[in-house]
Amino acid sequence: MNPGNDNDGKKWHELPGGGINPDAGNSLENYTGYLRRGEKPQFNPDNCINCFFCWVFCPENAIIVDGEKIAGINYDYCKGCGICVNECPVSHEPLPLIMVEEKIEL
Amino acid sequence: MASIKVLNGNAAVAEAVGQVHPDVVVSNPVAPATPILERIASFIAEGWLDAEIINAESAYSAISACIGASAAGGRVISATASQGLAAMHELLFVASSLRLPIVIAVANRALSAPINIHADHSDAMAQRDCGWIQLFSENSQETYDNIIQAFKIAEHPDVRNPVMVGLDGFITSHEMTNIWLVETGEVTDFVGKCNPAYSLLDSNNPVTVGSLDTPDYYFEHKVNQLQGMENARKVIKEVGKEFGDRFSRYYGYFESYKLEDAEYAIVLMSSAAGAAKEVVDELRSNGEHVGLLKLRVFRPFPHQELKEALSHLEAIAVLDRALIPGSFGGPLFNETRAALYDMEDKNLPLVFPYVYGLGGRDITIDNFRDVFRDIEEKNTEKIEIKTELAFINLRQ
């Protein structure tokens, strides 16, 4: 990475002092989905009890909610950590959340 | 109306802090700075000072609390010394990088080992690269004045940089002298209100503080940080002048004592300047052209001004109260000599490194006489000059 040679981005004197980030909510600009490494959670609404455990525990806020129901997973931000699958209390098949293999496109 | 009180340096810091009126005082006692915090705590207990006091369990926690309180938008002060300052090291960088206007009084003391509680500048000099403005005080009066100015410098919108104010441990910190105190109302008026650039408590304008920075922007942020320190050069001068205009004691980067027509001079910091001035007076009365430069501002280092003040001299002795193992002189020597190298006229004054007073070792009138004699000899003999570190008042 050699950003010193390009003219994109802010120059040192254009940054706010103290390295602060004044744009609240700008983490939406960073698509963390690329961090998945071969596995992703898959949602099946059939046995979902809508307890919202997955929604509470997801560190990326990647569980999609529609009204009062879990509606799916936002793969733009899902890192594939599997916490949602681990926290899901449903034990009878088919499970609402399972980890499935994901082919990485290079 | 100014009033006169008999106070030591520590009490002078506390008086100034009481008048400046911080929001948060963080307390972690380290000798010889402990009485500063005791006195401020008593001001709060007596109801004279309305501030939050945090009793931290370590110096590391103390500076952490300072950072949090300052990022929340408060005016923050703490005091420490020696091992306490050393323990703060890692977070001193954080405070300066986040551009938080914290003020810390440092009762300069030797570093272990062997353990020693007396004066030298090893503690502050070890922190010279951590991005803090560093002021050094000769006596209690200067300490009082420096603390008041430190807040105004630190909180200036162009600076927003933490400041540490040094006073020599157990010399300045515990020596009782007359101090001219400014009336509290005038101090409040001089320092003004703390207007932070942002506040963690301001939920209408949320900011992220201390986030991760990748190679993509870290370099830009670090260069951005220099702005505060560079702007401080101008602000320190302005604040020193305004202080003088109001309270008739003027401050600059350094004090030149009989330097104008001098051929030989000593450069040093803090309390030893008093005895050195005596010797300058004495040698002057014998017709010798000698002078003294007492540095007040070590960071930002006033290279340009120092060069102008010293370039006409024949030889200079730089007296460091700190030792850098593996270097060929103390930090003050290295900076002073580097400042002089950049001269158009290559008739450079000779600059010699000395180290004195480690761990509270006394430096006397005789020692200063010897130093002047030493550099005069070295200069007139025109022997091939070797930069050799000399130790003053050492058993050797």
Side-chain angles (χ1 to χ4, degrees):
Chain A
M1 182 182 286
N2 193 7
N5 292 336
D6 69 41
N7 288 317
D8 300 336
K10 286 184 173 145
K11 296 180 172 40
W12 68 263
H13 48 84
E14 294 166 346
L15 296 168
I20 62 155
N21 186 342
D23 304 325
N26 76 345
S27 63
L28 285 173
E29 291 166 20
N30 299 318
Y31 295 104
T32 41
Y34 76 95
L35 290 165
R36 288 198 301 279
R37 290 289 180 268
E39 274 189 311
K40 64 175 180 183
Q42 197 174 57
F43 180 62
N44 179 353
D46 293 350
N47 282 334
C48 178
I49 58 170
N50 292 306
C51 66
F52 278 62
F53 277 20
C54 54
W55 178 81
V56 168
F57 282 98
C58 177
E60 290 294 336
N61 208 7
I63 306 293
I64 302 166
V65 174
D66 182 16
E68 292 185 1
K69 289 186 170 176
I70 302 295
I73 292 155
N74 185 340
Y75 293 110
D76 283 347
Y77 300 106
C78 170
K79 296 187 292 194
C81 66
I83 290 176
C84 54
V85 175
N86 196 52
E87 294 299 330
C88 181
V90 178
S91 56
H92 48 278
E93 304 275 342
L95 298 172
L97 283 162
I98 50 165
M99 288 307 270
V100 296
E101 203 174 308
E102 180 180 31
K103 210 172 178 187
I104 301 171
E105 302 285 342
L106 290 173
Chain B
M1 269 297 290
S3 62
I4 300 177
K5 266 193 191 179
V6 182
L7 296 172
N8 61 30
N10 280 339
V13 173
E15 290 288 328
V17 169
Q19 293 181 315
V20 167
H21 207 129
D23 299 301
V24 176
V25 179
V26 184
S27 169
N28 179 251
V30 184
T34 310
I36 297 175
L37 300 158
E38 285 173 354
R39 201 173 170 102
I40 298 173
S42 76
F43 290 163
I44 295 171
E46 286 159 14
W48 179 55
L49 177 62
D50 178 23
E52 192 76 35
I53 191 157
I54 300 172
N55 292 308
E57 78 278 18
S58 72
Y60 192 93
S61 305
I63 183 69
S64 304
C66 287
I67 289 170
S70 187
R75 177 175 281 171
V76 186
I77 173 99
S78 188
T80 191
S82 182
Q83 307 304 122
L85 191 64
M88 289 181 179
H89 179 70
E90 169 186 341
L91 288 155
L92 294 177
F93 284 88
V94 175
S96 62
S97 318
L98 297 180
R99 303 278 297 276
L100 300 172
I102 301 161
V103 175
I104 289 188
V106 180
N108 297 120
R109 172 191 139 185
L111 285 172
S112 292
I115 191 164
N116 177 300
I117 57 166
H118 295 281
D120 74 31
H121 299 157
S122 311
D123 55 358
M125 287 297 109
Q127 311 304 339
R128 68 189 187 277
D129 299 335
C130 67
W132 284 54
I133 293 165
Q134 291 185 310
L135 308 179
F136 287 84
S137 328
E138 180 187 334
N139 49 41
S140 305
Q141 183 70 62
E142 279 195 19
T143 309
Y144 172 78
D145 296 347
N146 278 341
I147 291 282
I148 293 172
Q149 291 174 64
F151 283 98
K152 197 171 168 76
I153 295 164
E155 292 168 5
H156 192 285
D158 294 341
V159 178
R160 291 204 288 117
N161 201 86
V163 179
M164 62 176 80
V165 177
L167 59 155
D168 281 350
F170 287 117
I171 299 175
T172 311
S173 74
H174 284 64
E175 170 196 54
M176 304 289 281
T177 51
N178 280 348
I179 300 188
W180 278 258
L181 296 174
V182 182
E183 210 179 83
T184 302
E186 290 180 56
V187 173
T188 315
D189 190 44
F190 173 76
V191 179
K193 273 206 156 102
C194 177
N195 292 315
Y198 59 84
S199 163
L200 293 179
L201 301 178
D202 181 4
S203 53
N204 292 322
N205 299 294
V207 293
T208 305
V209 175
S211 54
L212 177 77
D213 212 353
T214 58
D216 199 9
Y217 268 109
Y218 181 83
F219 200 171
E220 277 78 10
H221 276 128
K222 292 316 280 185
V223 174
N224 181 291
Q225 186 196 328
L226 295 182
Q227 273 181 313
M229 188 61 98
E230 288 308 311
N231 292 343
R233 293 180 191 278
K234 190 165 153 263
V235 173
I236 289 168
K237 233 175 171 173
E238 285 171 2
V239 170
K241 182 170 183 307
E242 194 191 332
F243 190 89
D245 289 344
R246 284 180 183 234
F247 312 126
S248 61
R249 288 187 298 277
Y250 286 88
Y251 288 90
Y253 301 130
F254 47 77
E255 180 190 343
S256 298
Y257 190 72
K258 305 192 176 176
L259 258 189
E260 294 72 33
D261 62 338
E263 291 168 0
Y264 300 98
I266 286 176
V267 174
L268 49 65
M269 298 193 294
S270 296
S271 65
K277 284 175 193 168
E278 290 279 324
V279 176
V280 168
D281 288 346
E282 180 199 303
L283 296 179
R284 282 255 166 194
S285 69
N286 299 340
E288 294 184 47
H289 293 283
V290 294
L292 171 80
L293 187 142
K294 180 193 76 191
L295 192 72
R296 170 185 176 236
V297 182
F298 187 80
R299 285 284 182 268
F301 196 83
H303 293 96
Q304 190 60 35
E305 291 76 8
L306 211 68
K307 187 178 85 179
E308 282 160 19
L310 298 174
S311 56
H312 65 283
L313 293 159
E314 292 280 328
I316 302 163
V318 181
L319 272 58
D320 267 289
R321 203 164 193 163
L323 198 57
I324 313 180
S327 176
F328 70 156
L332 184 55
F333 166 78
N334 286 331
E335 295 275 352
T336 306
R337 205 187 222 198
L340 288 164
Y341 186 82
D342 200 17
M343 270 172 48
E344 282 163 34
D345 171 12
K346 283 292 173 192
N347 193 11
L348 299 168
L350 299 170
V351 192
F352 300 103
Y354 294 82
V355 166
Y356 74 101
L358 295 188
R361 173 63 51 86
D362 207 4
I363 182 160
T364 63
I365 300 273
D366 286 338
N367 297 137
F368 286 113
R369 271 195 218 109
D370 291 345
V371 169
F372 276 121
R373 202 165 302 139
D374 194 30
I375 57 171
E376 280 175 45
E377 264 172 33
K378 279 177 178 160
N379 184 50
T380 45
E381 281 176 18
K382 293 285 175 202
I383 46 166
E384 199 179 322
I385 302 300
K386 276 201 289 184
T387 305
E388 247 178 305
L389 182 58
F391 301 103
I392 301 170
N393 224 352
L394 173 81
R395 291 185 194 92
Q396 55 188 343

